[in-house]
Amino acid sequence: MPSSYAAAAAGSSSRKTNRTSTAAAATARPPAPSPSPAPAPPAANPSAASDSDPSSYSSSSGDEADLTASDSATASVVSAYLSVAGEGADLSKVGIFLSSAARRRSPPCLICFDPIRPSDPVWSCSSSCFAILHLPCIQSWAHQSASGAAVPCPTWGCPKCRFAYPKSQTPTSYLCFCSKTVDPTPDPWILPHSCGDVCGRRLNANLDSGCEHTCLLLCHPGPCPPCPAVVPNAPCFCGAHREPRRCAHQRYSCAGKCNKRLSCGLHRCPVNCHDGPCPPCAVRGKHKCECGETMEEKLCSESVFQCKRECGGMLDCGKHRCERGCHGGKCGECPLRGRRTCPCGKKDYPKLECDAEAATCGSTCEKVLGCGRHRCPERCHRGPCDETCRLVITKSCRCGGLKKEVPCYQELTCERKCQRLRNCGRHACKRRCCAGDCPPCSETCDRKLRCGNHKCLSPCHRGACSPCPLMKTISCACGKTCFEVPCGTEKNQKPPKCSKKCNIPRLCRHKLECRPHKCHYGACPPCKLTCGEELSCGHTCKERCHGPISPPNPEFTLKPTKKKMEKQIECTPGTLCPPCKEVVLGPCFGQHLGQERAMPCSKWRPFPCQNLCGNPLLCGNHYCTKSCHVLEVPLNQPEGDPIASVSKENALAEPCEQCDLPCQRVREPPCSHRCPLPCHLSDCPPCKVLVKKPCYCGAMVHAFECVYFNNLKAKEQLKVRSCGGPCHRKLPNCPHLCSEVCHPGMCPSVDQCMKKVNVRCACNMLKQEWICQDVLKEYRNSGRDPKEVPKSQFGAGLIACGEDCKKKVKVPDPELHLRKSQETKNPAVEVASVPKRRKRRDRGQEVKVSKFQEVKAYVMRVLLIILLSIIIAAGLYLLWKGIFWLSDWMNEMEEQRARQRHPRGATL
């Protein structure tokens, strides 16, 4: 998955949690402009548009195609998709549904024709039409469709697209569009019937398409848009060309020759790069039939064929010829060879040759006749039995109303008409001698449809009729813009928005400056310009224009009344300008910057703001945390300032709080210990806390004063931590100890140990003194690791045994080998070979840790980190909640204080 696609998916998943804060910010300031997708094109044929397609509700002027401009909820739905798709976003299909849902103008239910409200439980078709219907309506529709016929049907169809759903998929609960949330709560900040979470549906249901991405839009109606992810190396159909393409269009043709090997295995495909299997090979040539007797010119894909002549080859018996047509391979065995019987099959002839004819047995044939109930009464005979059974039996007609003796081959029917109801449940069958399988009703339904204007023209059926397929046209006031809606829903529709200008002139003083508006029904929109008239105080009126209004257009009616209204609506006169409301800025009690409040100049007075006081305390480090109050002596106020004089004489003035916090300053030099003094302005005293530091060899622990140790330089700190004694740490490659003075890091004499080692031969008879580093070199030259040699065996076996070794031992070789083999088998020797217990100083230096212990320690560390992260996250969340609770409590206390001080505030 591309990183941009994953980032967009992660960002869209957190959008639901930030929806509340976003909504609050949207009420305080206008929404920021968001990238607008490509406009959704209107329906190509409005008359043929479906009765539930939102595209049939769009205006022909095309002014409502911008998704992001229609509503902030729609912009939040497509923002994550546009961040990945960029300018090439294709939202033409889903844009129609989003625009309709954002304007809260969902199409009516196709079953009951009632409008679908945002709070109604609905069901959405998931096949191709994505029609939105009332949940109770579709449940009733599915029940009637599945059980209304004479024979119960296992499926039911969508009222719009007729897609067949199994009976098990009858909707039982109210789900959102992405089917993640049951009974989604209506929210004005998201689309109706949506859960507000990421859609997450697979963008391409075809598993062979190669697309595994999910929809990035928030839960939305209609189809999901094409996959916006980019495939860096998308191969063409033939695989010869690769280029970066959108995931939704990664299957493409390079326009070159396919050149794949055809099924014949001889030629290659000459067609341009194409999808699917290659066509049959069209190269013509001469080919033989399967029997090899005929040569014809045919296509390479038809090279295996059969001629029209019989085979005529000799069978294995040598007496008969093959009667099959042209075929390949051997003709096979003779079908007359093997077990032979008489024509009726009762007598066997085991030794009869294939060219001899089997004789009849003379008994009754008794083969089953064509009727399937009786047997042949003739003697054993050659050839087929008589097809017509002439045995007279008693038969019943198909409906069971007549019984009569007739020949077995003759069918018996009566003249009685069937009175059963057909599958429509309204008309009788009336077919003569019906066996119960009545045909479907051929009458016309002719029932009145739910639209109330037309009748059903479908064949007679059970249950509710299909919705009316006709459309009604609704136009604007000028008649130049119109759209079509399903028949029967025109009573609840609103007129379309027309892009033409309104021809009614304005009567206010801005008739030349006011921006012209579009065609409409009813009254013209009020003038949005500022009045601008000069008031008596010298200011100008800044209210919206309140001059006279022109007479309105007639209101929108689908079926206008025949009688015209004789009373003519006159223009509305204007109103007087309101009192002057020139806005001035008034400071708060604490004179906080940016907290000035706009108020009319005649009602200017200080007020308490929602901030804390923030005045510096006497300690000089902290600020007053009281709510905004009148200061006893305001800071930075020149003499003669009216606000300072008011605060000094004001009875509401109160002093700031005193600081009781401990010192929180960072010491110099910096250390991890806090200052024991209370909050103060001067420098903190030096830190006298003792700090324990072990030496490098671990033999001594030093105790330093924190201020002394932190004032030392890095080199001096390393120097004072050394104990001055020998290191005595065990060297890693030999059993000796480090002879250097206590030092940091690794021992310098790892491979340069100069101590003497007694080196012996394999039989311990020869002995020499070597330097330790020479012993290490000898071990490495022999391919052995010095670390694996026990301390007691260090240096043994490095000298070759001489000729005198065997003489001194005076033991023959067989006994020597036998003794060595016994020593290896003796457990006492094995116990003796175990190295002695190491000293306490050497313990733990060469402990080998198994792979399982390393994995276990790593897993425990990861689990500990995860647990600490969860605890920190929970603590931050509770702290965040506590801050908000404290802020609300402080606001409530401030409101109570303001109410208590309100009578005194009048003295200001």
Side-chain angles (χ1 to χ4, degrees):
M1 179 181 293
S3 59
S4 59
Y5 193 94
S12 60
S13 63
S14 62
R15 187 172 291 105
K16 183 177 180 181
T17 58
N18 300 332
R19 189 171 64 247
T20 305
S21 59
T22 306
T27 58
R29 51 185 171 81
S34 58
S36 59
N45 187 4
S47 61
S50 175
D51 46 7
S52 178
D53 193 351
S55 61
S56 60
Y57 292 84
S58 60
S59 173
S60 61
S61 59
D63 291 339
E64 300 174 5
D66 191 359
L67 298 179
T68 58
S70 60
D71 190 31
S72 60
T74 310
S76 65
V77 170
V78 301
S79 59
Y81 180 84
L82 294 177
S83 64
V84 178
E87 298 181 356
D90 183 11
L91 297 174
S92 57
K93 294 183 180 180
V94 71
I96 299 173
F97 292 87
L98 294 178
S99 300
S100 177
R103 294 191 299 268
R104 302 304 195 265
R105 284 181 54 189
S106 297
C109 178
L110 294 179
I111 300 176
C112 64
F113 286 100
D114 291 336
I116 298 178
R117 299 176 180 84
S119 59
D120 293 342
V122 297
W123 172 84
S124 177
C125 178
S126 59
S127 60
S128 59
C129 65
F130 302 96
I132 301 176
L133 307 171
H134 285 126
L135 181 62
C137 296
I138 193 61
Q139 289 175 343
S140 176
W141 177 277
H143 177 71
Q144 293 178 6
S145 301
S147 61
V151 179
C153 183
T155 61
W156 56 276
C158 172
K160 179 185 175 184
C161 62
R162 301 299 180 185
F163 180 82
Y165 289 93
K167 196 173 182 179
S168 59
Q169 293 187 10
T170 302
T172 58
S173 58
Y174 173 35
L175 301 175
C176 63
F177 295 115
C178 63
S179 302
K180 293 180 182 177
T181 305
V182 180
D183 296 329
T185 305
D187 192 340
W189 299 107
I190 60 177
L191 298 179
H193 319 296
S194 172
C195 63
D197 201 353
V198 181
C199 176
R201 289 181 288 183
R202 191 185 179 98
L203 292 175
N204 198 329
N206 187 9
L207 300 178
D208 298 332
S209 62
C211 177
E212 299 180 355
H213 304 106
T214 56
C215 182
L216 293 178
L217 301 183
L218 300 187
C219 182
H220 61 90
C224 295
C227 182
V230 177
V231 179
N233 293 320
C236 61
F237 294 128
C238 65
H241 181 70
R242 291 179 178 268
E243 64 180 30
R245 295 181 70 88
R246 295 282 185 189
C247 184
H249 308 289
Q250 60 176 312
R251 297 182 60 82
Y252 65 98
S253 174
C254 64
K257 296 295 182 182
C258 176
N259 207 26
K260 289 183 180 178
R261 190 171 294 278
L262 298 176
S263 58
C264 64
L266 301 175
H267 308 96
R268 295 186 178 272
C269 179
V271 185
N272 290 341
C273 182
H274 60 89
D275 191 11
C278 296
C281 182
V283 179
R284 302 188 68 88
K286 291 186 177 182
H287 303 279
K288 288 185 178 182
C289 63
E290 291 188 1
C291 65
E293 297 293 336
T294 305
M295 178 78 74
E296 294 184 5
E297 184 178 355
K298 287 185 173 292
L299 300 177
C300 185
S301 58
E302 302 174 356
S303 59
V304 180
F305 67 97
Q306 296 177 347
C307 61
K308 298 181 180 180
R309 60 185 295 276
E310 291 185 359
C311 176
M314 186 66 66
L315 298 178
D316 292 347
C317 64
K319 300 177 181 179
H320 300 92
R321 292 189 176 275
C322 179
E323 297 179 356
R324 292 190 298 169
C326 178
H327 65 87
K330 296 181 179 181
C331 294
E333 297 183 357
C334 179
L336 300 178
R337 178 181 291 179
R339 182 175 175 270
R340 302 285 299 278
T341 61
C342 65
C344 68
K346 294 180 180 179
K347 188 175 181 180
D348 292 339
Y349 299 99
K351 297 183 179 181
L352 192 62
E353 296 293 334
C354 64
D355 56 345
E357 188 175 11
T360 58
C361 64
S363 61
T364 307
C365 179
E366 293 185 355
K367 289 183 180 179
V368 179
L369 298 178
C371 64
R373 295 183 295 176
H374 307 104
R375 296 182 179 273
C376 179
E378 298 181 4
R379 289 185 179 278
C380 180
H381 60 87
R382 293 183 179 88
C385 299
D386 193 2
E387 293 290 338
T388 304
C389 181
R390 303 183 181 277
L391 184 65
V392 178
I393 60 173
T394 302
K395 272 190 174 185
S396 299
C397 63
R398 288 195 298 263
C399 65
L402 177 64
K403 289 186 177 181
K404 189 178 179 181
E405 291 185 352
V406 294
C408 182
Y409 72 91
Q410 186 177 349
E411 186 179 359
L412 180 62
T413 57
C414 65
E415 298 296 326
R416 181 182 177 184
K417 292 185 178 180
C418 180
Q419 299 299 326
R420 296 186 184 90
L421 293 178
R422 298 193 179 186
N423 57 353
C424 63
R426 297 169 57 191
H427 303 101
C429 177
K430 295 184 179 180
R431 191 173 60 165
R432 296 184 184 276
C433 196
C434 180
D437 52 345
C438 302
C441 184
S442 59
E443 300 289 337
T444 305
C445 178
D446 206 34
R447 284 186 290 186
K448 198 167 188 179
L449 299 177
R450 294 295 299 272
C451 65
N453 301 327
H454 307 93
K455 292 184 178 181
C456 181
L457 302 179
S458 302
C460 192
H461 57 87
R462 284 179 179 265
C465 297
S466 301
C468 182
L470 301 180
M471 307 292 287
K472 292 290 184 180
T473 302
I474 298 178
S475 62
C476 63
C478 64
K480 296 181 180 179
T481 303
C482 61
F483 66 90
E484 294 184 346
V485 297
C487 180
T489 62
E490 65 274 5
K491 299 177 183 178
N492 301 325
Q493 297 299 324
K494 295 181 180 180
K497 293 183 179 180
C498 181
S499 60
K500 307 299 179 182
K501 295 182 180 179
C502 178
N503 53 6
I504 300 178
R506 293 190 177 274
L507 301 179
C508 64
R509 61 193 302 267
H510 308 106
K511 55 185 176 181
L512 299 179
E513 304 174 4
C514 190
R515 184 178 179 181
H517 55 278
K518 298 179 181 179
C519 171
H520 61 87
Y521 284 99
C524 294
C527 179
K528 297 183 180 180
L529 297 179
T530 307
C531 177
E533 290 190 10
E534 186 175 355
L535 302 176
S536 58
C537 62
H539 300 118
T540 58
C541 180
K542 296 184 179 180
E543 298 293 329
R544 184 175 289 183
C545 179
H546 45 81
I549 302 176
S550 305
N553 278 333
E555 295 295 333
F556 170 71
T557 54
L558 189 64
K559 296 182 179 179
T561 56
K562 296 182 180 179
K563 296 182 179 180
K564 296 183 180 180
M565 299 177 62
E566 297 180 358
K567 185 178 179 180
Q568 186 177 2
I569 301 177
E570 299 180 355
C571 63
T572 304
T575 58
L576 297 176
C577 293
C580 178
K581 296 181 180 180
E582 185 70 22
V583 178
V584 293
L585 298 177
C588 64
F589 286 153
Q591 306 171 27
H592 296 113
L593 296 178
Q595 295 299 323
E596 294 82 1
R597 184 175 294 177
M599 59 184 69
C601 59
S602 59
K603 298 181 180 181
W604 179 91
R605 67 181 182 87
F607 63 94
C609 67
Q610 301 296 327
N611 292 338
L612 302 179
C613 174
N615 192 38
L617 300 180
L618 297 178
C619 67
N621 297 326
H622 302 93
Y623 300 90
C624 179
T625 58
K626 287 185 178 181
S627 57
C628 182
H629 62 89
V630 179
L631 303 177
E632 287 185 341
V633 180
L635 298 177
N636 302 326
Q637 291 292 339
E639 296 183 359
D641 194 289
I643 300 180
S645 60
V646 168
S647 62
K648 290 178 181 178
E649 300 174 0
N650 191 0
L652 298 177
E654 56 180 323
C656 295
E657 62 183 358
Q658 295 183 356
C659 181
D660 297 331
L661 298 175
C663 179
Q664 299 177 354
R665 302 185 64 182
V666 179
R667 289 185 167 187
E668 290 294 337
C671 68
S672 60
H673 308 107
R674 286 192 174 185
C675 177
L677 301 179
C679 185
H680 56 89
L681 187 61
S682 60
D683 295 337
C684 297
C687 182
K688 299 295 184 179
V689 178
L690 294 179
V691 180
K692 293 183 179 180
K693 299 288 184 179
C695 68
Y696 303 113
C697 63
M700 180 183 297
V701 177
H702 300 279
F704 305 100
E705 286 189 355
C706 183
V707 61
Y708 166 75
F709 189 79
N710 290 333
N711 284 329
L712 296 177
K713 297 181 181 179
K715 293 183 178 179
E716 294 177 350
Q717 290 180 357
L718 295 176
K719 183 177 181 180
V720 299
R721 284 187 61 182
S722 175
C723 63
C727 178
H728 286 306
R729 283 186 287 181
K730 183 181 179 303
L731 297 178
N733 296 332
C734 66
H736 303 114
L737 302 180
C738 179
S739 59
E740 301 289 335
V741 181
C742 180
H743 59 86
M746 296 182 60
C747 296
S749 58
V750 174
D751 294 328
Q752 300 177 1
C753 182
M754 301 298 296
K755 293 189 177 182
K756 295 182 179 181
V757 178
N758 292 327
V759 180
R760 299 176 181 273
C761 64
C763 61
N764 292 333
M765 297 301 295
L766 298 181
K767 177 181 176 182
Q768 295 180 6
E769 285 189 354
W770 288 13
I771 301 176
C772 183
Q773 60 180 354
D774 295 337
V775 176
L776 296 179
K777 291 180 182 179
E778 184 65 24
Y779 273 124
R780 291 192 182 97
N781 293 336
S782 62
R784 297 177 61 187
D785 190 359
K787 297 180 181 179
E788 298 178 356
V789 179
K791 183 178 180 180
S792 60
Q793 300 294 330
F794 191 77
L798 294 182
I799 302 176
C801 293
E803 297 179 356
D804 299 335
C805 291
K806 295 182 180 180
K807 295 179 180 179
K808 291 181 180 180
V809 175
K810 297 180 180 180
V811 178
D813 290 342
E815 294 184 8
L816 183 62
H817 289 296
L818 180 60
R819 186 184 303 172
K820 289 184 178 180
S821 61
Q822 291 177 355
E823 289 179 355
T824 56
K825 295 180 181 180
N826 190 2
V829 178
E830 295 181 1
V831 175
S833 64
V834 176
K836 295 182 180 180
R837 188 174 182 181
R838 297 173 182 173
K839 296 181 181 180
R840 182 173 298 177
R841 178 183 299 175
D842 298 336
R843 291 180 192 173
Q845 295 185 2
E846 297 183 2
V847 177
K848 294 184 180 180
V849 181
S850 64
K851 193 67 175 180
F852 173 75
Q853 292 177 343
E854 294 179 357
V855 173
K856 181 180 177 181
Y858 177 76
V859 172
M860 294 299 293
R861 269 190 239 107
V862 172
L863 293 178
L864 181 60
I865 293 173
I866 293 174
L867 181 59
L868 292 176
S869 303
I870 293 174
I871 294 174
I872 293 172
L876 294 177
Y877 177 77
L878 294 176
L879 178 62
W880 179 70
K881 286 290 185 180
I883 292 174
F884 273 91
W885 177 83
L886 180 60
S887 177
D888 294 342
W889 178 79
M890 295 178 66
N891 292 338
E892 292 178 0
M893 297 298 296
E894 178 60 28
E895 291 179 358
Q896 293 178 4
R897 293 179 182 175
R899 287 196 220 98
Q900 295 175 2
R901 294 193 302 238
H902 185 67
R904 302 182 187 178
T907 59
L908 296 174

